[in-house]
Amino acid sequence: RGFQGALCPVCKVSFQAVVMALRNYGLISEQEKSKFFAILAARGYREAEPEPLRYFEKNIRYNLHVQNLYRAGAIGVNKMAEHLGLPIIEVRRVVQEWGVGS
């Protein structure tokens, strides 16, 4: 299991994502990133994670923020669709589920 097995349950991201974040923040070099990816590829982890995570909804706080803005009247359905990356018809369905008129 090693480092990856211990890391995934805590961070809920793939090791590849961690390596990319380290590179993006300048904490490792491009050469070190390439080494990590070569090791992952050699072990078959580029195709599938060794211990896949269950699905969990991402950006819950952001979605709640957009919902609060809508409820407060600060944004409308069109702006919600833009922020959530959803078609307007889908946003209208979501608004109905909240019990708020659109």
XYZ file of all heavy atoms in Angstrom:
815
model
N 0.829 -1.196 0.000
C 0.000 0.000 0.000
C 0.864 1.247 0.000
O 0.671 2.103 -0.821
C -0.927 0.000 1.189
C -2.038 -1.004 1.054
C -2.870 -1.100 2.310
N -3.108 0.169 2.933
C -4.266 0.769 3.009
N -5.316 0.213 2.488
N -4.408 1.913 3.620
N 1.765 1.366 0.915
C 2.717 2.462 0.892
C 2.076 3.830 1.034
O 1.001 3.981 1.582
N 2.785 4.818 0.510
C 2.388 6.212 0.646
C 1.037 6.499 0.014
O 0.207 7.178 0.582
C 3.472 7.086 0.012
C 3.215 8.556 0.143
C 3.212 9.152 1.385
C 2.973 9.330 -0.971
C 2.980 10.514 1.516
C 2.739 10.684 -0.855
C 2.753 11.271 0.398
N 0.802 5.939 -1.144
C -0.444 6.243 -1.854
C -1.654 5.756 -1.069
O -2.637 6.456 -0.940
C -0.441 5.631 -3.240
C -1.669 6.042 -4.032
C -1.636 5.532 -5.437
O -0.881 4.643 -5.739
N -2.466 6.097 -6.274
N -1.579 4.545 -0.536
C -2.697 4.007 0.230
C -3.012 4.850 1.446
O -4.152 5.013 1.834
N -1.973 5.405 2.060
C -2.182 6.237 3.241
C -2.693 7.624 2.861
O -3.406 8.253 3.607
C -0.878 6.367 4.025
N -2.338 8.102 1.682
C -2.679 9.458 1.273
C -4.105 9.577 0.757
O -4.813 10.514 1.089
C -1.703 9.922 0.190
C -1.851 11.357 -0.277
C -1.472 12.302 0.862
C -0.959 11.609 -1.465
N -4.537 8.641 -0.050
C -5.842 8.761 -0.712
C -7.010 8.948 0.244
O -7.826 9.830 0.014
C -6.085 7.571 -1.638
S -5.093 7.663 -3.134
N -7.134 8.155 1.330
C -8.284 8.359 2.215
C -8.280 9.730 2.888
O -9.315 10.272 3.195
C -8.145 7.249 3.251
C -7.307 6.209 2.597
C -6.378 6.966 1.697
N -7.105 10.308 3.084
C -7.020 11.600 3.743
C -7.366 12.721 2.782
O -8.191 13.578 3.070
C -5.595 11.811 4.329
C -5.453 13.205 4.903
C -5.302 10.765 5.382
N -6.750 12.731 1.601
C -6.907 13.839 0.654
C -8.060 13.644 -0.318
O -8.529 14.603 -0.895
C -5.626 14.015 -0.149
S -4.234 14.476 0.877
N -8.460 12.428 -0.553
C -9.517 12.095 -1.501
C -9.178 12.559 -2.914
O -10.025 13.065 -3.638
C -10.865 12.642 -1.053
C -11.350 11.993 0.212
C -12.752 12.396 0.556
C -13.165 11.672 1.806
N -14.513 11.930 2.185
N -7.905 12.443 -3.261
C -7.462 12.717 -4.619
C -6.484 11.627 -5.028
O -5.923 10.944 -4.192
C -6.767 14.094 -4.762
C -7.721 15.224 -4.455
C -5.536 14.185 -3.901
N -6.272 11.479 -6.304
C -5.315 10.494 -6.785
C -3.897 10.988 -6.527
O -3.653 12.188 -6.374
C -5.506 10.242 -8.280
O -5.065 11.355 -9.017
N -2.977 10.056 -6.490
C -1.581 10.412 -6.297
C -1.097 11.257 -7.472
O -0.290 12.164 -7.303
C -0.719 9.159 -6.126
C 0.672 9.463 -5.677
C 0.911 9.956 -4.409
C 1.741 9.299 -6.533
C 2.193 10.256 -3.988
C 3.028 9.600 -6.130
C 3.255 10.075 -4.849
N -1.612 10.976 -8.657
C -1.245 11.771 -9.833
C -1.641 13.239 -9.630
O -0.895 14.139 -10.008
C -1.924 11.219 -11.079
C -1.405 9.849 -11.474
C -2.146 9.290 -12.663
O -2.292 9.974 -13.661
N -2.618 8.059 -12.564
N -2.790 13.468 -9.033
C -3.232 14.835 -8.772
C -2.315 15.519 -7.766
O -2.007 16.705 -7.894
C -4.673 14.844 -8.264
N -1.859 14.773 -6.769
C -0.939 15.326 -5.777
C 0.375 15.709 -6.451
O 0.916 16.794 -6.217
C -0.702 14.329 -4.624
C 0.399 14.825 -3.689
C -1.986 14.089 -3.847
N 0.882 14.820 -7.295
C 2.136 15.101 -8.009
C 1.979 16.360 -8.867
O 2.861 17.227 -8.881
C 2.581 13.887 -8.860
C 3.737 14.252 -9.775
C 2.962 12.712 -7.960
N 0.864 16.470 -9.577
C 0.639 17.653 -10.414
C 0.564 18.925 -9.558
O 1.102 19.962 -9.938
C -0.639 17.500 -11.242
C -0.490 16.540 -12.397
S 0.848 16.961 -13.537
C 0.349 18.567 -14.118
N -0.090 18.847 -8.411
C -0.172 20.014 -7.526
C 1.215 20.409 -7.030
O 1.559 21.598 -7.004
C -1.102 19.719 -6.350
N 2.017 19.420 -6.652
C 3.387 19.705 -6.215
C 4.174 20.413 -7.319
O 4.902 21.367 -7.065
C 4.101 18.417 -5.802
C 3.592 17.751 -4.521
C 4.226 16.372 -4.349
C 3.873 18.622 -3.310
N 3.991 19.952 -8.541
C 4.690 20.570 -9.677
C 4.166 21.981 -9.937
O 4.926 22.921 -10.141
C 4.536 19.701 -10.937
C 5.176 20.285 -12.164
C 6.701 20.423 -11.998
N 7.240 21.279 -13.027
C 7.919 22.393 -12.795
N 8.170 22.787 -11.564
N 8.373 23.119 -13.781
N 2.843 22.136 -9.915
C 2.239 23.441 -10.190
C 2.668 24.499 -9.173
O 2.780 25.676 -9.512
C 0.719 23.340 -10.231
C 0.229 22.581 -11.446
O 0.943 22.427 -12.430
N -0.985 22.085 -11.381
N 2.893 24.082 -7.922
C 3.325 25.018 -6.888
C 4.843 25.141 -6.817
O 5.365 25.838 -5.946
C 2.757 24.621 -5.526
C 1.283 24.924 -5.403
C 0.344 23.914 -5.429
C 0.845 26.238 -5.280
C -1.010 24.194 -5.327
C -0.507 26.529 -5.179
C -1.426 25.504 -5.196
O -2.760 25.796 -5.099
N 5.546 24.459 -7.727
C 6.994 24.580 -7.780
C 7.727 23.831 -6.683
O 8.890 24.119 -6.408
N 7.048 22.867 -6.059
C 7.672 22.121 -4.975
C 8.504 20.941 -5.469
O 9.336 20.426 -4.730
C 6.605 21.641 -3.977
C 5.818 22.784 -3.321
C 4.664 22.250 -2.510
C 6.745 23.635 -2.460
N 8.253 20.520 -6.697
C 9.090 19.511 -7.345
C 9.388 19.994 -8.763
O 8.646 20.812 -9.314
C 8.440 18.097 -7.373
C 7.151 18.105 -8.183
C 8.222 17.555 -5.957
C 6.546 16.722 -8.412
N 10.459 19.468 -9.325
C 10.847 19.865 -10.679
C 10.062 19.064 -11.713
O 9.414 18.063 -11.392
C 12.341 19.624 -10.879
O 12.604 18.225 -10.881
N 10.158 19.499 -12.956
C 9.534 18.772 -14.061
C 10.127 17.373 -14.156
O 9.417 16.396 -14.418
C 9.734 19.540 -15.370
C 9.028 18.932 -16.563
C 7.509 18.970 -16.455
O 6.962 19.898 -15.830
O 6.869 18.055 -16.998
N 11.423 17.262 -13.905
C 12.112 15.963 -13.948
C 11.570 15.035 -12.849
O 11.319 13.853 -13.095
C 13.611 16.158 -13.787
C 14.409 14.885 -13.939
C 15.904 15.136 -13.801
O 16.330 16.198 -13.358
N 16.693 14.160 -14.189
N 11.375 15.563 -11.647
C 10.835 14.747 -10.556
C 9.404 14.308 -10.867
O 9.026 13.168 -10.599
C 10.885 15.527 -9.242
C 12.299 15.714 -8.720
C 12.379 16.701 -7.582
O 11.762 17.789 -7.686
O 13.065 16.394 -6.600
N 8.616 15.218 -11.436
C 7.252 14.868 -11.829
C 7.274 13.716 -12.831
O 6.519 12.745 -12.705
C 6.530 16.068 -12.425
C 5.083 15.762 -12.828
C 4.522 16.836 -13.712
C 4.873 16.477 -15.125
N 4.204 17.187 -16.165
N 8.156 13.816 -13.813
C 8.263 12.763 -14.828
C 8.659 11.429 -14.208
O 8.147 10.383 -14.602
C 9.279 13.165 -15.900
O 8.817 14.304 -16.583
N 9.544 11.466 -13.216
C 9.952 10.229 -12.523
C 8.757 9.586 -11.823
O 8.543 8.383 -11.903
C 11.046 10.513 -11.486
C 12.425 10.628 -12.039
C 13.403 10.798 -10.881
C 14.769 11.197 -11.344
N 15.679 11.395 -10.204
N 7.973 10.421 -11.101
C 6.786 9.894 -10.418
C 5.833 9.246 -11.408
O 5.329 8.145 -11.194
C 6.050 11.003 -9.651
C 6.624 11.330 -8.318
C 7.079 12.610 -8.051
C 6.695 10.375 -7.311
C 7.595 12.933 -6.812
C 7.205 10.693 -6.065
C 7.660 11.972 -5.817
N 5.572 9.937 -12.516
C 4.650 9.399 -13.508
C 5.181 8.126 -14.149
O 4.409 7.216 -14.443
C 4.301 10.445 -14.557
C 3.265 11.448 -14.093
C 3.072 12.612 -14.790
C 2.478 11.220 -12.985
C 2.120 13.540 -14.383
C 1.532 12.118 -12.571
C 1.350 13.293 -13.269
N 6.489 8.034 -14.347
C 7.089 6.816 -14.908
C 6.902 5.647 -13.946
O 6.569 4.526 -14.366
C 8.570 7.037 -15.212
N 7.080 5.900 -12.662
C 6.883 4.848 -11.650
C 5.423 4.411 -11.626
O 5.110 3.212 -11.599
C 7.340 5.334 -10.260
C 8.864 5.505 -10.242
C 6.884 4.382 -9.166
C 9.380 6.262 -9.031
N 4.514 5.375 -11.650
C 3.084 5.046 -11.639
C 2.702 4.246 -12.876
O 1.944 3.272 -12.786
C 2.247 6.324 -11.556
C 2.352 7.121 -10.261
C 1.610 8.440 -10.379
C 1.835 6.323 -9.080
N 3.232 4.632 -14.028
C 2.930 3.925 -15.273
C 3.471 2.494 -15.223
O 2.801 1.555 -15.642
C 3.508 4.672 -16.468
N 4.681 2.334 -14.690
C 5.293 1.002 -14.609
C 4.483 0.069 -13.721
O 4.433 -1.142 -13.957
C 6.725 1.116 -14.085
N 3.822 0.625 -12.726
C 3.008 -0.181 -11.801
C 1.560 -0.314 -12.261
O 0.743 -0.925 -11.597
C 3.057 0.424 -10.406
C 4.443 0.336 -9.805
C 4.475 0.870 -8.422
N 5.832 0.809 -7.902
C 6.196 1.294 -6.742
N 5.303 1.880 -5.960
N 7.443 1.202 -6.344
N 1.237 0.298 -13.388
C -0.115 0.199 -13.932
C -1.101 1.182 -13.342
O -2.299 1.123 -13.622
N -0.637 2.136 -12.531
C -1.533 3.076 -11.870
C -1.989 4.207 -12.780
O -2.867 4.973 -12.422
C -0.883 3.681 -10.624
C -0.576 2.680 -9.536
C 0.386 2.953 -8.588
C -1.249 1.470 -9.452
C 0.679 2.052 -7.583
C -0.962 0.561 -8.458
C 0.002 0.864 -7.520
O 0.279 -0.035 -6.525
N -1.407 4.340 -13.968
C -1.868 5.373 -14.892
C -3.212 4.964 -15.498
O -3.968 5.795 -15.949
C -0.844 5.620 -16.005
C 0.500 6.112 -15.551
C 0.549 7.572 -15.367
N 0.295 8.239 -16.637
C 0.288 9.536 -16.775
N 0.523 10.304 -15.759
N 0.040 10.077 -17.941
N -3.482 3.679 -15.490
C -4.736 3.168 -16.048
C -5.850 3.159 -15.001
O -6.990 3.452 -15.305
C -4.539 1.747 -16.596
C -3.479 1.652 -17.677
C -3.796 2.519 -18.881
O -4.967 2.564 -19.289
O -2.868 3.161 -19.411
N -5.500 2.784 -13.761
C -6.498 2.700 -12.698
C -5.815 2.859 -11.351
O -4.704 2.387 -11.150
C -7.223 1.353 -12.753
N -6.486 3.520 -10.432
C -5.957 3.673 -9.085
C -5.945 2.307 -8.395
O -6.846 1.497 -8.613
C -6.832 4.639 -8.282
C -6.731 6.068 -8.731
C -5.407 6.713 -8.352
O -4.840 6.376 -7.307
O -4.948 7.556 -9.132
N -4.962 2.051 -7.540
C -4.903 0.763 -6.863
C -6.062 0.571 -5.885
O -6.522 -0.529 -5.674
C -3.564 0.786 -6.133
C -3.202 2.223 -6.038
C -3.839 2.907 -7.208
N -6.546 1.652 -5.301
C -7.681 1.600 -4.377
C -8.635 2.732 -4.748
O -8.590 3.809 -4.157
C -7.207 1.766 -2.932
C -6.322 0.635 -2.457
C -5.812 0.866 -1.047
O -6.538 1.485 -0.249
O -4.699 0.427 -0.768
N -9.494 2.512 -5.738
C -10.388 3.598 -6.179
C -11.256 4.117 -5.040
O -11.669 3.356 -4.159
C -11.243 2.940 -7.255
C -10.525 1.701 -7.636
C -9.700 1.289 -6.452
N -11.508 5.410 -5.064
C -12.353 6.029 -4.054
C -13.813 5.933 -4.462
O -14.142 5.930 -5.637
C -11.990 7.509 -3.908
C -10.580 7.813 -3.419
C -10.301 9.303 -3.560
C -10.434 7.389 -1.978
N -14.687 5.873 -3.450
C -16.113 5.962 -3.726
C -16.391 7.364 -4.260
O -15.679 8.310 -3.963
C -16.931 5.773 -2.443
C -16.896 4.394 -1.870
C -17.778 4.276 -0.618
N -17.304 5.124 0.481
C -17.939 6.200 0.941
N -19.096 6.574 0.443
N -17.441 6.905 1.930
N -17.467 7.500 -5.016
C -17.847 8.811 -5.530
C -18.216 9.721 -4.362
O -18.860 9.302 -3.407
C -19.034 8.708 -6.487
C -19.543 10.068 -6.884
C -18.907 10.795 -7.873
C -20.625 10.643 -6.238
C -19.340 12.058 -8.226
C -21.058 11.910 -6.578
C -20.418 12.610 -7.571
O -20.843 13.872 -7.903
N -17.789 10.960 -4.417
C -18.246 11.961 -3.468
C -18.430 13.264 -4.227
O -17.690 13.553 -5.162
C -17.277 12.139 -2.285
C -15.905 12.613 -2.689
C -15.573 13.956 -2.649
C -14.944 11.707 -3.109
C -14.311 14.381 -3.018
C -13.682 12.125 -3.478
C -13.356 13.472 -3.432
N -19.449 14.016 -3.843
C -19.735 15.256 -4.548
C -18.659 16.284 -4.248
O -18.224 16.437 -3.116
C -21.102 15.817 -4.145
C -21.496 16.993 -4.988
C -22.936 17.403 -4.793
O -23.705 16.618 -4.247
O -23.260 18.519 -5.213
N -18.212 16.940 -5.276
C -17.168 17.934 -5.145
C -17.772 19.332 -5.153
O -18.879 19.535 -5.605
C -16.162 17.773 -6.287
C -15.470 16.424 -6.260
C -15.113 16.009 -7.679
C -14.726 14.580 -7.778
N -15.844 13.665 -7.761
N -17.036 20.268 -4.656
C -17.433 21.682 -4.669
C -18.754 21.942 -3.951
O -19.531 22.803 -4.365
C -17.503 22.213 -6.101
C -16.174 22.140 -6.800
O -15.150 22.364 -6.192
N -16.198 21.813 -8.067
N -19.005 21.221 -2.883
C -20.255 21.399 -2.144
C -20.370 22.829 -1.625
O -21.423 23.450 -1.737
C -20.366 20.379 -0.993
C -20.471 18.971 -1.571
C -21.544 20.694 -0.091
C -20.349 17.867 -0.542
N -19.277 23.372 -1.096
C -19.314 24.733 -0.555
C -19.626 25.747 -1.657
O -20.406 26.681 -1.450
C -17.995 25.075 0.118
C -17.765 24.276 1.387
C -16.378 24.459 1.901
N -16.378 25.507 2.900
C -15.290 25.958 3.493
N -14.115 25.482 3.161
N -15.362 26.884 4.405
N -19.026 25.564 -2.809
C -19.265 26.482 -3.924
C -20.730 26.408 -4.359
O -21.382 27.436 -4.554
C -18.334 26.149 -5.097
C -18.526 27.066 -6.279
C -18.002 28.349 -6.253
C -19.232 26.661 -7.399
C -18.174 29.211 -7.330
C -19.406 27.512 -8.476
C -18.882 28.781 -8.441
O -19.060 29.621 -9.505
N -21.249 25.191 -4.487
C -22.646 25.025 -4.887
C -23.586 25.670 -3.876
O -24.573 26.305 -4.243
C -22.982 23.547 -5.078
C -22.279 22.950 -6.270
O -21.703 23.646 -7.095
N -22.299 21.633 -6.359
N -23.273 25.510 -2.581
C -24.101 26.138 -1.550
C -24.020 27.658 -1.624
O -25.015 28.358 -1.409
C -23.684 25.650 -0.159
C -24.067 24.213 0.167
C -23.483 23.811 1.516
C -25.576 24.031 0.174
N -22.844 28.174 -1.936
C -22.679 29.623 -2.085
C -23.545 30.142 -3.232
O -24.245 31.161 -3.095
C -21.204 29.959 -2.310
C -20.936 31.417 -2.485
N -21.147 32.346 -1.495
C -20.493 32.123 -3.557
C -20.846 33.543 -1.937
N -20.443 33.435 -3.193
N -23.523 29.443 -4.364
C -24.343 29.842 -5.516
C -25.828 29.757 -5.141
O -26.619 30.652 -5.473
C -24.030 28.971 -6.752
C -25.016 29.223 -7.877
C -22.595 29.223 -7.228
N -26.199 28.713 -4.411
C -27.588 28.565 -3.977
C -27.982 29.740 -3.077
O -29.067 30.326 -3.251
C -27.773 27.248 -3.225
C -29.186 27.041 -2.720
C -29.348 25.721 -1.960
O -28.445 24.909 -1.892
N -30.509 25.525 -1.392
N -27.124 30.113 -2.149
C -27.420 31.237 -1.256
C -27.549 32.547 -2.020
O -28.414 33.372 -1.706
C -26.352 31.351 -0.165
C -26.457 30.236 0.850
O -27.516 29.645 1.034
N -25.347 29.937 1.502
N -26.687 32.753 -3.021
C -26.788 33.957 -3.848
C -28.126 33.996 -4.582
O -28.771 35.049 -4.673
C -25.632 34.026 -4.850
C -24.259 34.342 -4.277
C -23.184 34.161 -5.339
C -24.225 35.747 -3.697
N -28.548 32.848 -5.087
C -29.829 32.789 -5.798
C -30.981 33.085 -4.840
O -31.857 33.897 -5.136
C -30.026 31.421 -6.455
C -31.356 31.315 -7.150
C -31.551 31.866 -8.414
C -32.436 30.700 -6.536
C -32.780 31.808 -9.042
C -33.669 30.631 -7.157
C -33.840 31.182 -8.402
O -35.066 31.123 -9.014
N -30.962 32.438 -3.688
C -32.043 32.636 -2.705
C -32.126 34.093 -2.248
O -33.202 34.608 -1.975
C -31.846 31.725 -1.497
C -32.135 30.272 -1.777
C -31.913 29.417 -0.513
N -32.097 28.026 -0.772
C -33.248 27.366 -0.610
N -34.315 28.006 -0.228
N -33.308 26.078 -0.860
N -30.958 34.755 -2.168
C -30.926 36.156 -1.738
C -31.310 37.107 -2.866
O -31.438 38.314 -2.648
C -29.524 36.502 -1.224
N -31.490 36.574 -4.075
C -31.860 37.411 -5.204
C -30.678 38.119 -5.851
O -30.855 38.984 -6.706
N -29.467 37.744 -5.468
C -28.274 38.393 -6.017
C -27.960 37.914 -7.433
O -27.323 38.636 -8.200
C -27.064 38.140 -5.107
N -28.382 36.703 -7.766
C -28.186 36.167 -9.124
C -29.464 35.473 -9.564
O -30.277 35.066 -8.736
C -26.988 35.184 -9.221
C -27.204 33.953 -8.341
C -25.672 35.881 -8.900
C -26.145 32.870 -8.515
N -29.612 35.335 -10.866
C -30.768 34.655 -11.426
C -30.396 33.282 -11.968
O -29.256 32.818 -11.817
N -31.355 32.668 -12.624
C -31.163 31.321 -13.175
C -30.039 31.300 -14.206
O -29.215 30.376 -14.215
C -32.487 30.802 -13.786
C -32.275 29.489 -14.507
C -33.539 30.647 -12.707
N -29.987 32.312 -15.061
C -28.942 32.334 -16.095
C -27.547 32.366 -15.485
O -26.642 31.659 -15.924
C -29.124 33.524 -17.035
C -30.341 33.372 -17.912
O -30.861 32.269 -18.095
N -30.821 34.476 -18.448
N -27.358 33.204 -14.468
C -26.049 33.318 -13.828
C -25.722 32.029 -13.063
O -24.575 31.586 -13.035
C -26.023 34.523 -12.897
C -24.655 34.911 -12.406
C -23.651 35.116 -13.516
C -23.610 36.497 -14.043
N -22.496 36.735 -14.977
N -26.745 31.419 -12.458
C -26.532 30.129 -11.786
C -26.036 29.088 -12.777
O -25.094 28.340 -12.491
C -27.835 29.614 -11.144
C -28.094 30.116 -9.768
S -29.567 29.321 -9.084
C -29.121 27.621 -9.155
N -26.676 29.027 -13.939
C -26.280 28.062 -14.965
C -24.833 28.279 -15.361
O -24.058 27.327 -15.513
C -27.199 28.175 -16.176
N -24.457 29.545 -15.496
C -23.082 29.883 -15.870
C -22.096 29.424 -14.787
O -21.085 28.791 -15.083
C -22.980 31.392 -16.059
C -21.625 31.886 -16.475
C -21.603 33.404 -16.596
O -22.630 33.997 -17.019
O -20.564 33.989 -16.262
N -22.397 29.724 -13.537
C -21.494 29.380 -12.437
C -21.406 27.873 -12.189
O -20.346 27.364 -11.823
C -21.911 30.078 -11.147
C -21.571 31.528 -11.125
N -20.280 32.001 -11.165
C -22.366 32.629 -11.074
C -20.290 33.312 -11.131
N -21.548 33.724 -11.082
N -22.517 27.181 -12.355
C -22.531 25.737 -12.088
C -22.176 24.904 -13.314
O -22.004 23.696 -13.208
C -23.898 25.312 -11.541
C -24.299 25.947 -10.207
C -25.703 25.508 -9.816
C -23.299 25.602 -9.111
N -22.099 25.546 -14.475
C -21.763 24.810 -15.690
C -22.855 23.842 -16.103
O -22.583 22.754 -16.610
N -24.108 24.249 -15.877
C -25.259 23.398 -16.200
C -26.142 24.099 -17.218
O -26.192 25.329 -17.277
C -26.087 23.125 -14.939
C -25.417 22.343 -13.818
C -26.320 22.333 -12.585
C -25.108 20.921 -14.265
N -26.903 23.316 -17.996
C -27.892 23.932 -18.887
C -28.985 24.617 -18.052
O -29.286 24.187 -16.933
C -28.468 22.752 -19.668
C -27.633 21.574 -19.350
C -26.852 21.873 -18.124
N -29.578 25.649 -18.597
C -30.602 26.394 -17.859
C -31.758 25.492 -17.440
O -32.267 25.613 -16.325
C -31.098 27.596 -18.690
C -29.968 28.623 -18.794
C -32.341 28.227 -18.070
C -30.262 29.808 -19.661
N -32.148 24.578 -18.316
C -33.263 23.679 -17.971
C -32.938 22.837 -16.734
O -33.798 22.593 -15.880
C -33.674 22.808 -19.179
C -35.031 22.179 -18.918
C -32.646 21.755 -19.489
C -35.725 21.699 -20.181
N -31.674 22.430 -16.613
C -31.250 21.659 -15.441
C -31.259 22.538 -14.191
O -31.674 22.108 -13.120
C -29.855 21.074 -15.675
C -29.296 20.289 -14.507
C -30.017 18.980 -14.226
O -30.784 18.511 -15.086
O -29.820 18.428 -13.133
N -30.834 23.776 -14.318
C -30.833 24.697 -13.179
C -32.264 24.957 -12.721
O -32.542 24.999 -11.525
C -30.104 26.012 -13.531
C -30.298 27.058 -12.450
C -28.618 25.746 -13.750
N -33.176 25.102 -13.671
C -34.586 25.301 -13.295
C -35.120 24.101 -12.503
O -35.866 24.271 -11.543
C -35.445 25.547 -14.527
C -35.191 26.880 -15.181
C -36.170 27.105 -16.343
N -35.773 28.214 -17.178
C -35.985 29.496 -16.886
N -36.594 29.808 -15.771
N -35.585 30.434 -17.726
N -34.695 22.899 -12.901
C -35.095 21.692 -12.158
C -34.538 21.718 -10.749
O -35.224 21.429 -9.776
C -34.625 20.430 -12.889
C -35.148 19.134 -12.278
C -34.486 17.896 -12.852
N -33.052 17.868 -12.666
C -32.438 17.613 -11.497
N -33.136 17.398 -10.419
N -31.121 17.594 -11.432
N -33.267 22.116 -10.621
C -32.617 22.201 -9.308
C -33.339 23.212 -8.438
O -33.614 22.952 -7.257
C -31.116 22.560 -9.473
C -30.496 22.932 -8.138
C -30.359 21.422 -10.118
N -33.687 24.353 -8.992
C -34.386 25.395 -8.239
C -35.728 24.875 -7.749
O -36.136 25.129 -6.602
C -34.543 26.676 -9.089
C -35.511 27.650 -8.457
C -33.186 27.328 -9.313
N -36.429 24.117 -8.580
C -37.708 23.520 -8.164
C -37.500 22.563 -6.995
O -38.302 22.531 -6.071
C -38.369 22.795 -9.326
C -39.082 23.722 -10.285
C -39.809 22.950 -11.360
O -39.360 21.892 -11.797
N -40.923 23.489 -11.801
N -36.404 21.788 -7.040
C -36.114 20.868 -5.932
C -35.886 21.628 -4.627
O -36.211 21.130 -3.557
C -34.878 20.017 -6.257
C -35.112 18.955 -7.290
C -33.846 18.192 -7.624
O -32.782 18.425 -7.000
O -33.908 17.351 -8.559
N -35.316 22.836 -4.717
C -35.098 23.641 -3.530
C -36.399 24.217 -2.997
O -36.453 24.706 -1.882
C -34.173 24.814 -3.832
C -32.763 24.451 -4.203
C -32.131 23.264 -3.976
C -31.841 25.291 -4.853
N -30.861 23.331 -4.459
C -30.650 24.552 -5.007
C -31.890 26.588 -5.344
C -29.514 25.089 -5.605
C -30.765 27.107 -5.944
C -29.589 26.371 -6.070
N -37.443 24.212 -3.833
C -38.701 24.783 -3.424
C -38.729 26.300 -3.547
O -39.471 26.980 -2.867
N -37.915 26.815 -4.467
C -37.841 28.258 -4.698
C -38.291 28.516 -6.129
O -37.854 27.824 -7.047
C -36.384 28.773 -4.511
C -36.310 30.266 -4.781
C -35.888 28.440 -3.132
N -39.145 29.495 -6.345
C -39.620 29.798 -7.693
C -38.488 30.336 -8.562
O -37.565 30.963 -8.078
N -38.551 30.073 -9.885
C -37.502 30.575 -10.782
C -37.962 31.735 -11.603
O -38.910 31.909 -12.158
C -36.987 29.467 -11.698
O -38.032 28.883 -12.438
